[in-house]
C-alpha cells in the first residue's frame, strides 16, 4: 500500500481550495485536517483558509535542489488564485508607526552635509541657477499637431495648426498666468518655486507638494513642504496605499499631525472626494527596496566627509600646531632628571611663543642638539584637494570650471573645458530639465485642468550650441530630410502659413528643387536641375504663359542685334548653328513631354521652334514661338537660317522644354 502524502490532494487539485472545517466535538484530527491547519493563514485572529500552492512536478534527484516548502502566507489570499500577491519589499514590521524608519541616513545629516564645507552648497546653487535661468512656455505638443493633421488630411497643415492654436489660446493664457506665480500665498514666482523644488530634489530627493485649493475647489497654490516632515505609509504589500487610505503623514514634534491621500489612484485619476486631503510626493531616483529616493547629497556623503576632515586638518595646522618645525635631541650629557627636562621644555616654548623671540639666539645646555623635521610639503600639495573637489562635483554633475578651477592642459585646455561643459549638459542639465518638464506637465493636467494637447516646456536648452544645431538643421533642410516648418517646431517658433514650408526640397547652387513632383520633370535616371521659370506676371492664373516670348513682352529677351550692339564676337554662322542646336534640343524635349503626357491638359510652349521649323506639329497641342524678325544681314545667309533669332534662357520654366 503506497504511503499517504498529506499534501497530495492540494497539489493534484490546485483549483479547489476548500474551507477548513473541524468538527466541534472532535477530540482528534485526521491527517487531512492537520494538513489544512498547517496550510491555513490567520490574519487578525481570523483564519483565511488554506493556501493553494503551485504544482511541484520537478523530479527529486540525488544531490538535487530539494522540493520547495509550501508557502505560509501572511497576506490575504487572492480569491482568483488562492495565493497571496507578492510584497514590494521586506519592510520593517510596524513601519507605519512613528519612529520606525528604514532609512540608513537621517534627514538631518543630509541637510547639514549640504550646508557645511561650502563645496556641496556651491554645486547645488550652480545646478539650481542653470534651470532657474531658463525661459519657459506653455506650448502645443507635437503629438496634438500630428493628430489634428491626421484627423483632417485634406486641409493644409498650416490651417490645421492655426485652428488648433486658436482653440487652445485661452487655456494657454490661463495656465501661463498660474505658473507665473505658482504659490501666491508665499509670493513665489516661477524661479523661486523651481529653486525650492530643486533644493528638495538635490538634498533629499523627496519633493512634497500640497495642492492648496479655494473653497470652490479651484487650485490656488502648489505649496512645497519640507520633505523631512513627511512619513511615507505602506499598505500590506509595502506599496503606496490607494485612496481613500492615507498614504502620507506629517510628523511634527514626534507625532502625526496630519494625514493625506495620494493625489492619484491606481488608474491615475484624481480622488475627487478627497481633493483637499491630497499630497503630491515625487522622487527622482526610485528604488525597489525602499520608498525613499537617493539624492545627490546622499550619494556624495562619504566624499563630503573626507573633504570636511581634510579642511579640519588644514585648519588645525594654523590653530593647534600639531607638527613641530624642529625637535631637541637630549643625549643625556646634561644629567637632568625628567622633571628638570620638562621644566626646561616649558620654559623654552614660552620663550619662543612670540614671533620676536624666534629671531633671537639661545644657548642650548650641554647634550642638546637641534634636529629639524623633514619637509612635509607633500601633504600640502593642491592636487589632492583638486581630486576631492572633482569627486564631490561629479555627484552633482558640475564641472570644476563652473566652480572656478581650471585644468593645466596647455593650448588645448579651453577646448577640453568646452567638451566638459557639453558632457555636463548631457548628463546633468538636460535630464533634470526633462524630468521637471514632465513633472510640471503632469501636475498641470491633473490639478490645474490643463488640456492634454498642452505641455510645460523650457526654452533655450541649446543656447550655447545653437550655431551647431542650426548647421545640422540647415543640412537636413537642404537635403530634404526636414521641412522648414519642422525646423521651426524644433525652435519653438510658429509655423509658416504657405504650403511650400511643408514640402521637402533639395537646395542646389542654382536654386531650390522640390521633391514633390520631381519625377514628372525628367525621366528616371536623369539629373533634375533647378527650374528657371518666367516671371509670374507673364502667366495666367493656371501658370500658363500669356504670350510667346518676344520683344513685345515685359521681359526683355536678348537678340542678335543686342549682341551686336554690345560688341558680341559671335558671327552669323555661329548664331545659326546655335539656333539649329536649340531647335533640335527643344524638339527632343517636346517628344519626351508628349510620351509622358498622351492627353495633355495644357499645350507645350516652344521658345525657339517656329511653325516653319516643325510643320508636322501644326495640328498638335503646341504653341509655336513667334517667327523671328528679319535681320538686315539675312539676305546674305543661307536658306533655312533664321536671322535676328531670339535667344532663350539657359533653362526653361515649367511647361517649357525639358522642364515641363
Amino acid at each position: 500500500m503506497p504511503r499517504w502524502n498529506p499534501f497530495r490532494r492540494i497539489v493534484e487539485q490546485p483549483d479547489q481550495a476548500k474551507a477548513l472545517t473541524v468538527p466541534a466535538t472532535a477530540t482528534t484530527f485526521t491527517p487531512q485536517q492537520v494538513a489544512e491547519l498547517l496550510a491555513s493563514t490567520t490574519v487578525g485572529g481570523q483564519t483565511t483558509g488554506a493556501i493553494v500552492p503551485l504544482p511541484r512536478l520537478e523530479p527529486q534527484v540525488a544531490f538535487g535542489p530539494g522540493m520547495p516548502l509550501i508557502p505560509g502566507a501572511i497576506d490575504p489570499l487572492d480569491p482568483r488564485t488562492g495565493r497571496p500577491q507578492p510584497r514590494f519589499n521586506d519592510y520593517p514590521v510596524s513601519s507605519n508607526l512613528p519612529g520606525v524608519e528604514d532609512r540608513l541616513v537621517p534627514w538631518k545629516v543630509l541637510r547639514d552635509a549640504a550646508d557645511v564645507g561650502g563645496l556641496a552648497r556651491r554645486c547645488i546653487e550652480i545646478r539650481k541657477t542653470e534651470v532657474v535661468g531658463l525661459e519657459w512656455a506653455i506650448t502645443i505638443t507635437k503629438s496634438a499637431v500630428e493628430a489634428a493633421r491626421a484627423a483632417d488630411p485634406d486641409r493644409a497643415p498650416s490651417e490645421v495648426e492655426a485652428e488648433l492654436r486658436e482653440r487652445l489660446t485661452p487655456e494657454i493664457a490661463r495656465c501661463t498666468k498660474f505658473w507665473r506665480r505658482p504659490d501666491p500665498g508665499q509670493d513665489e514666482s516661477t524661479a523661486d518655486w523651481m529653486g525650492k523644488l530643486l533644493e528638495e530634489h538635490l538634498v533629499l530627493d523627496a519633493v512634497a507638494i500640497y495642492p492648496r485649493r479655494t473653497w470652490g475647489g479651484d487650485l490656488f497654490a502648489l505649496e512645497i513642504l519640507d520633505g523631512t516632515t513627511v512619513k511615507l505609509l505602506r499598505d500590506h504589500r509595502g506599496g503606496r496605499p490607494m485612496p481613500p487610505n492615507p498614504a502620507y503623514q506629517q510628523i511634527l514634534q514626534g507625532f502625526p499631525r496630519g494625514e493625506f491621500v495620494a493625489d492619484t489612484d491606481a488608474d491615475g485619476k484624481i480622488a475627487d472626494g478627497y481633493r483637499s486631503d491630497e499630497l503630491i510626493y515625487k522622487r527622482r531616483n526610485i528604488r525597489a527596496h525602499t520608498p525613499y529616493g537617493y539624492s545627490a547629497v546622499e550619494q556624495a556623503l562619504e566624499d563630503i566627509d573626507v573633504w570636511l576632515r581634510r579642511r579640519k586638518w588644514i585648519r588645525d595646522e594654523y590653530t593647534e600646531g600639531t607638527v613641530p618645525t624642529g625637535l631637541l635631541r637630549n643625549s643625556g650629557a646634561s644629567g637632568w632628571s625628567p622633571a628638570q627636562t620638562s621644566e626646561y621644555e616649558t620654559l623654552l616654548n614660552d620663550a619662543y611663543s612670540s614671533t620676536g623671540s624666534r629671531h633671537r639666539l639661545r644657548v642650548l645646555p650641554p647634550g642638546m642638539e637641534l634636529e629639524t623635521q623633514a619637509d612635509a610639503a607633500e601633504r600640502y600639495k593642491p592636487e589632492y584637494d583638486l581630486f576631492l573637489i572633482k569627486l564631490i562635483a561629479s555627484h552633482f554633475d558640475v564641472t570644476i570650471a563652473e566652480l572656478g578651477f581650471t585644468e593645466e592642459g596647455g593650448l588645448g585646455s579651453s577646448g577640453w573645458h568646452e567638451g566638459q561643459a557639453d558632457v555636463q549638459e548631457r548628463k546633468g542639465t538636460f535630464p533634470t530639465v526633462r524630468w521637471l518638464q514632465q513633472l510640471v506637465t503632469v501636475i498641470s493636467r491633473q490639478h490645474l485642468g490643463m488640456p492634454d494637447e498642452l505641455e510645460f516646456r523650457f526654452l533655450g536648452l541649446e543656447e550655447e550650441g545653437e550655431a551647431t544645431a542650426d548647421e545640422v538643421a540647415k543640412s537636413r533642410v537642404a537635403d530634404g530630410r526636414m521641412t522648414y516648418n519642422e525646423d521651426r517646431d524644433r525652435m519653438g517658433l510658429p509655423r509658416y502659413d504657405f504650403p511650400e514650408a511643408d514640402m521637402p526640397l533639395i537646395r542646389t547652387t542654382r536654386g531650390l528643387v522640390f521633391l514633390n513632383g520631381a519625377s514628372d520633370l525628367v525621366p528616371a535616371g536623369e539629373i533634375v536641375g533647378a527650374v528657371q521659370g518666367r516671371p509670374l506676371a507673364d502667366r495666367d492664373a493656371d501658370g500658363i504663359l500669356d504670350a510667346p516670348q518676344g520683344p513685345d513682352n515685359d521681359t526683355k529677351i536678348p537678340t542678335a542685334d543686342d549682341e551686336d550692339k554690345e560688341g558680341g564676337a559671335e558671327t552669323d554662322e555661329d548664331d545659326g548653328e546655335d539656333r539649329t542646336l536649340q531647335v533640335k534640343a527643344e524638339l527632343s524635349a517636346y517628344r519626351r513631354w508628349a510620351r509622358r503626357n498622351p492627353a495633355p491638359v495644357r499645350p507645350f510652349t516652344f521658345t525657339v521652334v517656329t511653325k516653319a521649323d516643325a510643320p508636322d506639329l501644326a495640328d498638335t497641342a503646341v504653341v509655336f514661338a513667334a517667327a523671328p524678325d528679319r535681320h538686315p544681314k539675312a539676305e546674305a545667309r543661307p536658306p533655312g537660317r533664321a536671322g535676328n533669332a531670339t535667344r532663350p534662357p539657359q533653362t526653361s520654366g515649367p511647361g517649357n522644354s525639358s522642364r515641363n
Side-chain angles (χ1 to χ4, degrees):
M1 183 175 180
R3 187 174 181 180
W4 179 78
N5 186 355
F7 299 110
R8 181 178 179 183
R9 184 187 66 84
I10 300 176
V11 173
E12 293 179 350
Q13 301 176 356
D15 296 334
Q16 300 178 1
K18 297 182 179 180
L20 177 63
T21 57
V22 180
T25 58
T27 57
T28 59
F29 298 101
T30 64
Q32 178 180 351
Q33 293 171 340
V34 173
E36 292 179 350
L37 282 172
L38 293 175
S40 63
T41 302
T42 302
V43 178
Q46 298 181 356
T47 302
T48 61
I51 186 174
V52 180
L54 295 172
R56 283 151 173 76
L57 306 178
E58 285 290 328
Q60 299 303 305
V61 298
F63 305 103
M67 179 176 290
L69 296 177
I70 301 298
I74 56 178
D75 292 333
L77 303 181
D78 191 333
R80 299 168 298 178
T81 62
R83 293 176 290 275
Q85 296 180 350
R87 289 189 176 185
F88 289 100
N89 48 63
D90 189 8
Y91 53 83
V93 178
S94 302
S95 62
N96 288 340
L97 298 180
V100 180
E101 297 285 351
D102 56 346
R103 289 189 50 82
L104 297 178
V105 181
W107 294 120
K108 188 177 186 306
V109 174
L110 299 181
R111 290 287 194 197
D112 294 342
D115 294 333
V116 298
L119 183 57
R121 171 50 53 187
R122 181 57 182 159
C123 293
I124 293 172
E125 294 302 322
I126 290 175
R127 291 297 310 277
K128 291 166 61 176
T129 304
E130 291 172 352
V131 178
V132 169
L134 294 174
E135 297 291 335
W136 59 272
I138 304 295
T139 61
I140 302 176
T141 63
K142 293 182 179 180
S143 59
V145 176
E146 294 174 357
R149 290 184 186 176
D152 195 356
D154 297 334
R155 297 180 60 188
S158 58
E159 295 180 4
V160 175
E161 183 185 1
E163 181 179 347
L164 181 64
R165 186 176 298 276
E166 182 180 0
R167 178 172 62 86
L168 295 175
T169 296
E171 289 296 320
I172 294 176
R174 181 179 67 87
C175 297
T176 302
K177 179 180 179 181
F178 174 84
W179 280 109
R180 285 174 180 167
R181 292 184 68 204
D183 191 355
Q186 305 302 316
D187 194 20
E188 293 178 359
S189 63
T190 308
D192 301 332
W193 192 86
M194 287 290 181
K196 184 188 291 187
L197 186 146
L198 288 172
E199 175 77 17
E200 299 298 296
H201 159 59
L202 295 172
V203 178
L204 308 175
D205 198 16
V207 179
I209 304 175
Y210 175 63
R212 183 179 176 185
R213 301 186 178 277
T214 63
W215 291 108
D218 298 330
L219 183 63
F220 171 72
L222 292 172
E223 301 176 343
I224 299 180
L225 309 181
D226 183 358
T228 63
T229 64
V230 178
K231 180 178 179 58
L232 306 184
L233 304 180
R234 292 182 170 98
D235 58 11
H236 70 276
R237 297 182 57 204
R240 185 187 69 171
M242 293 292 101
N245 298 301
Y248 315 103
Q249 286 183 341
Q250 189 173 34
I251 307 297
L252 302 174
Q253 291 83 37
F255 195 81
R257 307 298 177 175
E259 58 184 9
F260 310 90
V261 299
D263 60 328
T264 56
D265 56 16
D267 297 330
K269 299 180 180 179
I270 297 293
D272 293 334
Y274 299 89
R275 296 185 71 88
S276 298
D277 299 309
E278 296 167 352
L279 186 69
I280 305 171
Y281 190 91
K282 297 297 180 180
R283 303 152 293 163
R284 175 76 182 282
N285 296 315
I286 301 176
R287 298 173 291 175
H289 68 280
T290 175
Y292 298 99
Y294 195 39
S295 66
V297 172
E298 189 171 358
Q299 297 175 36
L301 199 57
E302 184 177 356
D303 296 330
I304 294 176
D305 180 62
V306 175
W307 168 257
L308 294 177
R309 293 179 185 273
R310 168 75 171 178
R311 293 283 301 274
K312 183 178 184 302
W313 177 76
I314 294 178
R315 187 168 58 249
D316 289 343
E317 288 294 322
Y318 293 96
T319 57
E320 303 297 333
T322 58
V323 180
T325 305
L327 298 175
L328 289 179
R329 182 182 298 275
N330 188 358
S331 63
S334 61
W336 289 352
S337 65
Q340 292 174 327
T341 303
S342 178
E343 292 178 0
Y344 179 76
E345 179 182 352
T346 302
L347 176 65
L348 189 64
N349 288 327
D350 292 341
Y352 285 131
S353 60
S354 63
T355 305
S357 300
R358 296 172 190 168
H359 293 278
R360 300 174 183 175
L361 294 177
R362 191 177 186 90
V363 178
L364 298 177
M368 297 292 181
E369 298 179 1
L370 179 62
E371 182 177 301
T372 58
Q373 286 285 86
D375 187 13
E378 291 291 333
R379 293 178 295 177
Y380 296 92
K381 283 189 174 182
E383 286 76 11
Y384 180 65
D385 297 272
L386 190 61
F387 169 72
L388 293 178
I389 292 173
K390 291 180 180 178
L391 282 180
I392 297 176
S394 65
H395 295 288
F396 297 91
D397 294 317
V398 174
T399 63
I400 59 173
E402 294 176 295
L403 293 170
F405 300 95
T406 58
E407 287 279 4
E408 296 180 1
L411 296 177
S413 178
S414 59
W416 185 86
H417 284 296
E418 292 177 0
Q420 288 295 102
D422 295 338
V423 172
Q424 184 271 335
E425 289 183 351
R426 189 168 59 253
K427 289 179 53 183
T429 304
F430 289 170
T432 302
V433 165
R434 294 189 185 99
W435 177 71
L436 280 176
Q437 287 182 165
Q438 183 180 7
L439 174 62
V440 175
T441 299
V442 172
I443 292 177
S444 299
R445 291 173 179 174
Q446 293 177 345
H447 298 274
L448 191 58
M450 185 176 72
D452 293 340
E453 294 89 348
L454 301 179
E455 65 178 354
F456 182 94
R457 183 179 179 185
F458 285 101
L459 305 177
L461 295 179
E462 299 178 358
E463 181 178 354
E464 296 183 0
E466 192 66 27
T468 303
D470 286 343
E471 288 297 326
V472 174
K474 180 180 178 181
S475 175
R476 291 177 177 175
V477 172
D479 293 342
R481 292 176 291 171
M482 185 168 62
T483 64
Y484 280 103
N485 274 341
E486 290 174 345
D487 181 41
R488 294 181 70 82
D489 290 340
R490 175 188 64 86
M491 297 184 293
L493 299 176
R495 289 180 157 233
Y496 291 131
D497 56 357
F498 48 86
E500 289 81 3
D502 293 302
M503 299 180 183
L505 55 88
I506 295 178
R507 187 181 303 164
T508 66
T509 56
R510 298 177 60 189
L512 303 179
V513 177
F514 289 93
L515 298 181
N516 185 19
S519 59
D520 297 333
L521 298 178
V522 297
E526 295 190 15
I527 299 177
V528 180
V531 176
Q532 181 68 30
R534 291 285 302 280
L536 294 179
D538 296 338
R539 302 173 183 269
D540 58 15
D542 297 329
I544 303 176
L545 290 173
D546 292 335
Q549 296 177 353
D552 296 334
N553 290 346
D554 295 336
T555 304
K556 180 65 176 176
I557 307 297
T559 64
D561 291 337
D562 296 331
E563 293 182 358
D564 292 341
K565 293 177 182 178
E566 295 175 1
E570 293 186 359
T571 63
D572 294 337
E573 289 76 6
D574 294 337
D575 192 17
E577 291 177 359
D578 290 345
R579 186 180 185 283
T580 302
L581 295 176
Q582 294 169 4
V583 169
K584 291 181 179 180
E586 198 166 39
L587 289 175
S588 177
Y590 165 74
R591 296 187 186 95
R592 292 196 300 267
W593 174 83
R595 288 195 300 268
R596 294 195 305 268
N597 301 276
V601 296
R602 63 182 63 181
F604 186 92
T605 303
F606 287 110
T607 59
V608 177
V609 178
T610 63
K611 187 175 182 180
D613 295 325
D616 55 330
L617 302 179
D619 297 332
T620 58
V622 297
V623 176
F624 289 106
D629 297 335
R630 301 299 295 175
H631 193 274
K633 300 180 180 180
E635 301 297 337
R637 295 181 179 178
R641 286 196 172 184
N644 196 20
T646 59
R647 289 191 178 275
Q650 295 297 323
T651 55
S652 302
N656 300 332
S657 186
S658 62
R659 305 305 179 201
N660 190 48

